[in-house]
Amino acid sequence: MTEKKIGAFICRCGGNISDYVDVEQVRKEIAREDNVTVAGINMFSCSDASQEDMIANIRENGLDGIVIASCSPKLHLNTFRAMAERAGLNPYQYIQVNIREQCSWAHTHNKDAATRKAVSLVREGVAKAKLSEPLTPIELTAQPSVMVIGAGLAGMRAALALGEMGVTVYLVEAAPEPGGSIKGRKSLFPDNSSGHELVESLLERIRANGNIVLYTSAEILEKTGSVGNFTIRIQVDGKNETTLSVGAVIVSTGSGSYRPTDGEFGFGLSCVLTLNQYIDMLDSSTDTFLLNGRKIRNIAYIYCVGSRRTGKEGNRYCSRYCCSAAVHTAVRTHEVDPSIGQFHFYRDIRTYGAYEELYHEALKKGSVFLKYGLKDPPQVTEVSGSGLRIRAKDLLTGAETVELETDLVVLVTGMVPGENSQLIDILKLPVGKEGFFNEIHPKLRPVETVMDGIYIAGACQGPKTLSESVVSGMAAVAKSASLVLTGKVNLDPFVARVLTEKCTGCGECISSCPYGAISMKETPDGTVVEITESLCKGEGACVAICNEEALEIKGYGHNMIKAMIEALGG
Amino acid sequence: MIRVNGEFRQRARLDKNFNAGQCFNCGTCTALCPVGMAILPRQLFRYVLLGAEEKIVEYSDSIYSCLLCRMCEENCPEGVLIAENIRALRRYLVEDVYHI
Amino acid sequence: MIVDVKSTVLPKILVFSTDSISDPGIDLAGASHMDYSTGAMVISVPCSSGIHPGWILHALKNGFDGVFIAADGTDCPFLEDCTARTGNIVAAAQALLKENGIDPMRLKMAAICSVCSESFVSHVEKFNSVLLKLEA
Amino acid sequence: MAISREHILALLAQNLENRGSVMPVRQKLLTRWADGLGLPKGGKTILYTGHMYQIMPFIRAMAAKNKKMDGSWLEKYAGFATVVNRIVNIVNLLSMGASSDDIQFYNDILRNIVTILGRHGIKPGYLYEDELYAGALAYDLGLDSVFERHARAVHDLLRRCGAELIITVDPHTTQMFRLVYPEVLDNFDIKVKSYLEVLAGSEREIKGEEPERSIVVHDSCVYSRYLDMVDEPRRLLAGKGFKIVEPLFSGRLTHCCGGPVESLFPEKAREIAEKRLESLPEGTKDVATMCPICLFNLKEAAEERVHTADIASYLL
């Protein structure tokens, strides 16, 4: 074998890497490595200009493999594989070394040590590149269909968009009726549209579209297969089972609503409602606006209930939508009865973007905003005869204590993850710290999950307003449609292979394979095992149990791993 | 402690010229006031919005020490008619407190 | 507290991590600027049930003071019994280490999920101090 | 001083109600400035002083009187008035004590204004003893109901004399007629212009005679921020040949002279006037004011430090 020519490129990532790692030092040390013919530094490796430079380098120097030491491969592995391909290299001879998430960002306090670690990591990458071999991705046909799980606004809108592109859509809803959280709502912010009408008009279009099949009262029982070819078993109405084949899945199961604990800001007393309960009341009231038969004079809203907490109880995050929802509700209330006094006990008003106008409208219509600190949260007590009393320190009035007699306290609660444990189990969806589904990257890959072919949309991913939910739904549509409409998917060819010269034919591995991909094979030289690649998932269960080291996963060979270990440990 | 007085609030709110509800407490008015009012205009207005009638009486000196010069108003990002609101408070004192 | 001074011997820890589950968790630790020992270095594999015991021995013979398997645990996208299988690998590797006169304490395994950044850092730090004691 | 604000306000209201002015001085003293000018009585275009310049000497006298008594001139006045108002005529009492120099000083400003208007060919009428105070102090202090009744009386007067254009001489009277009267009265449709606007809009040029002389302009809060009148005084002064110097706060961001609280909080007013003087550019010699209250307050505070004069004296 002729000596391989390897190019190594160290990324500054603006300063994300170079502020904490001496990239010039790394480059110098790597340049001295055997087989490294080119060692360069990029400001941003992912920029077009840097990519063009690297392509020119690969071509001019006839490189056989390249290493880019930059961010996590989760972000740019595909970017650089495509670049390698454009330069005429096999994409699997491109190796990405993570010196940002796993080096510069983790070791911001010791530049020398971080630099030494980065050198080791790049050496490991070079060792891997030296032993890398050209591989061909496994091409599979993709089913021209998508399953959308959850028929709330995001899911319905996504299903419709896909259906209109000619994709077969199975829209699966657990509830008896589609529409999710908005179906009974009379007036949604910011434009006061009717949730009921919105759902009805979408349903009408969904029914008229021949490509969409809607299942209600449906449950996901099982998922097998992988991107392009999922097989999903569902049960409708608790009895009829159906098996559906889809190329991709969009999960849009929405969120739940935080339920205050008993006694939290008076929760449990009559006339202490959550925002959703109050909106229900507002939606169902006609001309008169009565509470327990009495005219309402004052309403107090308490914001951030269960949100932005620092202790053990409640959630740490901000739910984004609740400030806007609450001020919108206050504006509606002002319109129903301008004589009602409305007092908002808030921590910070986050009516971001155009929703700021709602906040201004509420101010103009007479809502009064009082700012409380976490140290002195409002106290709600019951007063015999006259309803409720709320007492709080108003930071806007020199932290003076303000006491208000009120007929109604509205607890502005945020979103919490929906109850999805079964779905998480079946789909193996990654769940974030807060219990919502996790995307790969909030900016670079905002609707993709680590499970190829499974996308997330709407509030199941984290608190969102309706329009944000729809936007993420459409992003998931774009991603899933581009996958299923090409009709094929490429899978990494990381499947097992047998090193027949080492195989003793003991057959231990056959039972270790959960997918039945290994079988015995008679050869003139004796009995060995063989792999059925189409069944192999490449997890390597067989690799671990073979004492002869006669099995390996392509791209993760024994020699390669050992060489990487030596490079790192040396 | 301030006890919210609904009746007073209604009266203050029904004055068409009283628009301090739009104030979002930025403090620009305070920074620019040539008098350096003992109680900042925004805090005074909050008492009105909360219906703290006794505070309005308590701070009547401040209400009467305003120059009505509108320096604050010129720079108010929310377009609060500060001078006019102060005048509305004076009228309230004259009519409802001093009974002139 | 991170022992990471030039004058101190910094244990070298090889972390076997997995592409889709523990790697994101380890990435998250860095993205959250949680400092951990620079002696910890990662090799990613598809699944922790595919780590060959021989690699662990190889690492401990070639410059590493400890090997930490950041296992998929119950989040494994391939195998329901991934934890048990990875456990078997650890048992086999420990036997191998004993045969070779290496303290089996130098191998450690824990499930690290895709958001287990804090738990990863704390495992590395604990393992780090175990290894420091073994050196002493 | 033991006179409550309540009491002072009540007295002002009573004066406005019964005597047509919050600071009633003898009628003769209010109209004397026009002696010999030959202004016709009434007419379609009338000059309206609103008594503002004329009463300044009496306020000054009241402020100085009985230095051993604390408090503002208004408190002192109220103190006297409480005791004597029903026994002797307060008008007579108040009318005494003003220095003749002061009276001359403020009357000259009004005479100058008439002279300048004359040079532009404008000869307005004057209401003499019929003229009434426009009510600014009552309005500013929140005495709304008495102000409204008074405003109606002023409106009747103006209608009776057939006035179509009122030429005002001070910002407060201008504000009352232009902004407040149309709001509180029905059908107030008389045109209102400050003489500065009249002059600035006049086709006749004032000849430049003052080359090289720098003058610092002190804008009135009311002219600049209530009435958006910033350019006119500058155009007129520049036309006269003055080099205009802007202080730190000018135009729409002008700094108040402190005058509006002079009647209730004189120390505060003095403090604010001091702050204003500090904001003037270094080496300031001449300051032009365009409001009798500004003139009075800055003059009192500046003493001999700078020369403060009404814009009319510079435009003459």
Side-chain angles (χ1 to χ4, degrees):
Chain A
M1 193 168 89
T2 51
E3 283 288 279
K4 275 196 171 176
K5 289 183 190 169
I6 309 290
F9 300 93
I10 323 297
C11 187
R12 305 178 77 94
C13 192
N16 282 302
I17 293 169
S18 55
D19 286 354
Y20 313 107
V21 167
D22 183 343
V23 291
E24 181 51 34
Q25 180 68 24
V26 176
R27 193 198 65 80
K28 269 193 223 155
E29 298 212 19
I30 293 307
R32 287 201 286 267
E33 289 284 298
D34 293 343
N35 299 63
V36 173
T37 37
V38 180
I41 293 176
N42 295 323
M43 177 53 88
F44 284 107
S45 302
C46 54
S47 70
D48 285 350
S50 291
Q51 291 195 39
E52 289 312 310
D53 272 0
M54 289 188 281
I55 289 174
N57 242 315
I58 294 166
R59 287 185 180 144
E60 281 162 24
N61 297 296
L63 300 179
D64 305 300
I66 57 163
V67 173
I68 299 179
S70 58
C71 54
S72 166
K74 301 284 171 295
L75 296 180
H76 283 309
L77 184 69
N78 291 334
T79 313
F80 295 133
R81 275 186 181 166
M83 180 202 85
E85 213 164 5
R86 290 204 302 281
L89 268 183
N90 180 283
Y92 295 97
Q93 290 184 293
Y94 159 66
I95 306 300
Q96 186 157 349
V97 174
N98 181 351
I99 58 165
R100 192 178 73 174
E101 282 82 351
Q102 292 188 6
C103 189
S104 70
W105 277 353
H107 312 301
T108 50
H109 301 111
N110 193 337
K111 195 166 183 174
D112 283 348
T115 304
R116 286 199 300 278
K117 174 171 172 179
V119 171
S120 297
L121 290 171
V122 185
R123 278 195 186 122
E124 172 209 7
V126 171
K128 187 174 186 182
K130 275 198 254 180
L131 292 169
S132 66
E133 53 191 327
L135 297 171
T136 312
I138 300 168
E139 193 180 286
L140 297 176
T141 37
Q143 295 292 328
S145 52
V146 174
M147 176 177 285
V148 177
I149 303 174
L153 184 61
M156 289 170 80
R157 196 63 198 80
L160 192 58
L162 285 165
E164 283 169 353
M165 290 180 196
V167 175
T168 300
V169 184
Y170 304 108
L171 178 56
V172 182
E173 170 57 48
E177 299 281 335
S181 59
I182 65 162
K183 58 174 167 275
R185 290 277 180 261
K186 260 191 189 165
S187 176
L188 304 168
F189 77 87
D191 58 349
N192 299 319
S193 53
S194 147
H196 176 74
E197 283 170 22
L198 213 55
V199 170
E200 283 307 312
S201 77
L202 280 172
L203 261 185
E204 204 172 297
R205 289 168 67 191
I206 284 170
R207 287 196 192 104
N209 186 305
N211 296 323
I212 307 169
V213 187
L214 170 66
Y215 298 96
T216 51
S217 304
E219 189 187 353
I220 309 288
L221 297 179
E222 189 190 31
K223 179 216 80 175
T224 52
S226 57
V227 55
N229 292 282
F230 293 108
T231 303
I232 300 175
R233 200 154 56 84
I234 66 167
Q235 187 177 50
V236 183
D237 292 327
K239 38 185 198 287
N240 313 321
E241 280 190 21
T242 312
T243 302
L244 302 164
S245 295
V246 293
V249 178
I250 295 175
V251 179
S252 52
T253 48
S255 71
S257 178
Y258 176 79
R259 192 193 140 87
T261 54
D262 279 345
E264 188 175 0
F265 297 110
F267 190 68
L269 299 175
S270 70
C271 305
V272 177
L273 306 177
T274 65
L275 180 63
N276 276 329
Q277 289 171 329
Y278 175 59
I279 295 173
D280 284 341
M281 178 181 146
L282 204 54
D283 281 344
S284 60
S285 72
T286 45
D287 308 340
T288 50
F289 192 47
L290 301 173
L291 181 66
N292 300 339
R294 232 178 37 202
K295 195 177 172 321
I296 297 174
R297 288 165 298 123
N298 287 329
I299 300 175
Y301 299 83
I302 301 175
Y303 285 62
C304 289
V305 174
S307 300
R308 303 173 63 213
R309 305 305 296 262
T310 49
K312 288 219 156 34
E313 283 183 14
N315 302 309
R316 296 167 69 91
Y317 54 89
C318 161
S319 259
R320 300 169 62 85
Y321 93 106
C322 8
C323 281
S324 303
V327 294
H328 176 254
T329 306
V331 169
R332 284 180 70 194
T333 308
H334 281 306
E335 280 161 4
V336 173
D337 183 350
S339 74
I340 294 175
Q342 298 194 77
F343 299 84
H344 304 251
F345 295 83
Y346 73 99
R347 283 175 60 200
D348 293 288
I349 287 292
R350 292 181 171 176
T351 47
Y352 54 92
Y355 306 134
E356 184 77 354
E357 283 177 27
L358 287 172
Y359 170 54
H360 279 252
E361 208 178 331
L363 282 170
K364 257 183 210 154
K365 287 192 149 67
S367 271
V368 178
F369 288 79
L370 300 94
K371 185 176 166 79
Y372 73 90
L374 257 192
K375 269 195 224 150
D376 289 293
Q379 305 291 327
V380 180
T381 47
E382 204 164 21
V383 191
S384 61
S386 58
L388 298 160
R389 176 180 295 146
I390 181 163
R391 188 182 281 191
K393 263 192 183 153
D394 176 21
L395 300 181
L396 298 183
T397 316
E400 282 185 66
T401 302
V402 175
E403 191 181 275
L404 165 77
E405 310 263 306
T406 181
D407 309 295
L408 180 60
V409 170
V410 176
L411 305 183
V412 181
T413 52
M415 290 181 180
V416 294
E419 212 303 289
N420 288 315
S421 50
Q422 198 183 330
L423 195 64
I424 292 167
D425 245 28
I426 294 169
L427 297 182
K428 307 283 180 215
L429 275 176
V431 168
K433 230 187 252 175
E434 312 291 358
F436 292 98
F437 296 147
N438 237 10
E439 69 288 326
I440 290 180
H441 188 281
K443 294 191 216 94
L444 299 174
R445 299 172 71 181
V447 294
E448 293 165 83
T449 68
V450 290
M451 303 307 297
D452 284 339
I454 301 187
Y455 307 97
I456 48 178
C460 66
Q461 186 184 15
K464 284 187 177 62
T465 64
L466 288 171
S467 54
E468 288 161 353
S469 285
V470 172
V471 167
S472 77
M474 298 318 269
V477 165
K479 277 285 163 193
S480 55
S482 67
L483 183 111
V484 301
L485 289 174
T486 53
K488 56 186 185 189
V489 290
N490 286 337
L491 293 185
D492 282 338
F494 300 146
V495 289
R497 73 169 148 218
V498 186
L499 307 171
T500 41
E501 70 280 8
K502 290 185 182 172
C503 179
T504 60
C506 71
E508 283 283 316
C509 53
I510 295 176
S511 62
S512 77
C513 178
Y515 306 107
I518 311 178
S519 52
M520 285 298 203
K521 181 176 125 181
E522 298 298 332
T523 72
D525 301 327
T527 307
V528 292
V529 292
E530 71 172 350
I531 308 289
T532 310
E533 286 195 353
S534 62
L535 295 177
C536 178
K537 303 293 173 204
E539 85 293 341
C542 57
V543 175
I545 60 105
C546 180
N547 293 331
E548 313 305 324
E549 298 188 358
L551 287 156
E552 66 184 21
I553 302 292
K554 290 180 192 172
Y556 296 90
H558 290 286
N559 289 342
M560 184 187 271
I561 298 277
K562 285 177 186 169
M564 287 160 73
I565 290 170
E566 286 157 25
L568 272 183
Chain B
M1 185 166 75
I2 300 166
R3 275 201 185 76
V4 175
N5 173 343
E7 201 194 323
F8 175 72
R9 266 177 46 74
Q10 282 302 330
R11 224 169 24 214
R13 229 174 52 172
L14 290 176
D15 185 315
K16 65 177 166 38
N17 292 322
F18 193 84
N19 74 338
Q22 281 163 251
C23 166
F24 62 15
N25 282 277
C26 70
T28 306
C29 50
T30 310
L32 292 168
C33 177
V35 185
M37 280 175 77
I39 177 167
L40 323 168
R42 55 181 171 149
Q43 195 166 340
L44 193 58
F45 294 153
R46 284 202 71 75
Y47 288 141
V48 181
L49 295 172
L50 292 172
E53 190 170 14
E54 66 284 2
K55 294 280 182 185
I56 303 308
V57 178
E58 186 183 331
Y59 288 104
S60 65
D61 263 11
S62 295
I63 293 170
Y64 273 99
S65 70
C66 171
L67 298 158
L68 306 179
C69 78
R70 287 197 184 173
M71 183 71 135
C72 48
E73 224 172 273
E74 187 68 21
N75 292 280
C76 174
E78 286 299 284
V80 176
L81 304 173
I82 300 170
E84 191 47 42
N85 292 351
I86 294 272
R87 227 190 55 77
L89 293 180
R90 289 179 181 177
R91 188 184 56 224
Y92 160 76
L93 285 170
V94 162
E95 288 169 5
D96 290 53
V97 180
Y98 307 146
H99 302 290
I100 297 168
Chain C
M1 186 57 201
I2 301 141
V3 186
D4 196 349
V5 191
K6 275 181 194 165
S7 59
T8 323
V9 184
L10 188 66
K12 276 195 152 192
I13 301 171
L14 177 64
V15 180
F16 278 113
S17 134
T18 70
D19 281 334
S20 58
I21 307 298
S22 53
D23 248 13
I26 298 169
D27 282 356
L28 185 60
S32 318
H33 294 285
M34 293 174 184
D35 234 314
Y36 55 86
S37 168
T38 54
M41 289 178 275
V42 170
I43 289 180
S44 293
V45 293
C47 170
S48 51
S49 66
I51 296 165
H52 196 278
W55 301 346
I56 295 162
L57 180 65
H58 193 75
L60 293 174
K61 281 185 167 176
N62 284 278
F64 281 97
D65 302 298
V67 173
F68 176 67
I69 297 178
D72 281 339
T74 51
D75 290 347
C76 179
F78 299 104
L79 302 161
E80 274 188 27
D81 58 348
C82 182
T83 308
R85 285 174 189 255
T86 311
N88 292 340
I89 292 167
V90 169
Q94 281 175 331
L96 199 57
L97 298 186
K98 268 186 208 156
E99 279 171 32
N100 283 272
I102 297 172
D103 193 332
M105 295 272 277
R106 292 188 184 275
L107 172 63
K108 184 182 158 75
M109 163 195 153
I112 300 293
C113 71
S114 58
V115 289
C116 291
S117 49
E118 284 171 25
S119 119
F120 171 72
V121 171
S122 106
H123 279 304
V124 166
E125 291 314 311
K126 271 186 222 146
F127 192 33
N128 204 51
S129 50
V130 168
L131 293 174
L132 276 173
K133 268 186 210 145
L134 288 179
E135 301 303 324
Chain D
M1 183 93 195
I3 309 291
S4 67
R5 176 172 316 112
E6 188 174 339
H7 202 103
I8 295 171
L9 293 171
L11 184 79
L12 290 177
Q14 196 189 336
N15 277 343
L16 196 63
E17 193 93 53
N18 299 337
R19 305 191 202 283
S21 177
V22 284
M23 274 296 295
V25 296
R26 219 177 284 142
Q27 206 52 256
K28 190 79 201 85
L29 295 169
L30 296 173
T31 57
R32 186 184 283 164
W33 68 274
D35 287 356
L37 290 174
L39 295 173
K41 182 159 183 182
K44 284 185 177 173
T45 298
I46 53 164
L47 188 82
Y48 206 99
T49 72
H51 305 172
M52 294 293 286
Y53 279 95
Q54 298 96 309
I55 61 173
M56 298 321 290
F58 302 97
I59 286 176
R60 182 157 195 252
M62 188 55 78
K65 190 173 276 180
N66 290 318
K67 281 249 158 98
K68 60 181 182 237
M69 289 168 72
D70 290 334
S72 70
W73 62 264
L74 193 53
E75 280 178 283
K76 289 170 188 169
Y77 165 64
F80 288 120
T82 315
V83 182
V84 299
N85 212 16
R86 293 204 179 83
I87 311 165
V88 293
N89 191 343
I90 183 73
V91 174
N92 290 326
L93 182 77
L94 194 64
S95 303
M96 297 186 293
S99 87
S100 52
D101 282 358
D102 278 358
I103 294 175
Q104 177 89 35
F105 177 83
Y106 284 99
N107 282 351
D108 277 352
I109 296 169
L110 293 172
R111 296 170 72 90
N112 290 345
I113 290 170
V114 170
T115 308
I116 302 163
L117 284 169
R119 284 184 194 157
H120 284 260
I122 298 153
K123 294 217 165 14
Y126 175 48
L127 292 176
Y128 293 91
E129 65 280 1
D130 292 343
E131 193 189 84
L132 292 167
Y133 177 59
L137 187 60
Y139 181 76
D140 286 351
L141 293 176
L143 297 163
D144 281 29
S145 60
V146 63
F147 168 79
E148 272 181 48
R149 279 197 294 279
H150 181 73
R152 238 171 267 127
V154 175
H155 192 197
D156 285 347
L157 167 72
L158 291 167
R159 268 205 287 233
R160 271 203 309 279
C161 85
E164 287 172 7
L165 172 69
I166 304 169
I167 298 177
T168 53
V169 297
D170 74 283
H172 294 272
T173 307
T174 317
Q175 177 212 353
M176 286 302 114
F177 284 149
R178 192 182 290 169
L179 301 180
V180 181
Y181 277 43
E183 180 131 322
V184 300
L185 302 175
D186 299 327
N187 319 316
F188 185 87
D189 53 6
I190 304 169
K191 275 175 82 178
V192 183
K193 275 189 171 180
S194 153
Y195 80 98
L196 294 170
E197 291 170 299
V198 172
L199 294 177
S202 158
E203 280 166 20
R204 285 195 209 179
E205 290 263 326
I206 307 182
K207 266 195 285 172
E209 290 158 5
E210 306 273 0
E212 302 303 308
R213 191 165 162 204
S214 292
I215 193 153
V216 176
V217 177
H218 167 80
D219 289 283
S220 138
C221 299
V222 173
Y223 269 156
S224 64
R225 284 192 283 267
Y226 283 65
L227 297 161
D228 199 19
M229 204 183 100
V230 173
D231 284 351
E232 288 84 348
R234 286 168 175 72
R235 282 220 306 276
L236 293 169
L237 286 169
K240 264 307 242 186
F242 287 105
K243 187 168 166 272
I244 292 163
V245 178
E246 300 287 354
L248 183 55
F249 301 101
S250 76
R252 284 196 73 97
L253 293 176
T254 187
H255 192 291
C256 181
C257 65
V261 294
E262 220 277 332
S263 55
L264 291 169
F265 305 95
E267 289 86 7
K268 214 148 218 152
R270 176 59 75 93
E271 218 178 274
I272 295 161
E274 283 292 344
K275 266 200 248 171
R276 177 42 158 176
L277 290 170
E278 281 164 24
S279 78
L280 300 182
E282 221 167 289
T284 297
K285 285 197 193 99
D286 291 296
V287 177
T289 61
M290 44 200 97
C291 165
I293 299 173
C294 294
L295 179 61
F296 177 82
N297 271 275
L298 293 181
K299 227 171 137 55
E300 290 293 297
E303 290 168 356
E304 301 306 315
R305 276 182 286 171
V306 291
H307 173 245
T308 313
D310 194 273
I311 190 169
S313 340
Y314 295 108
L315 294 180
L316 190 67

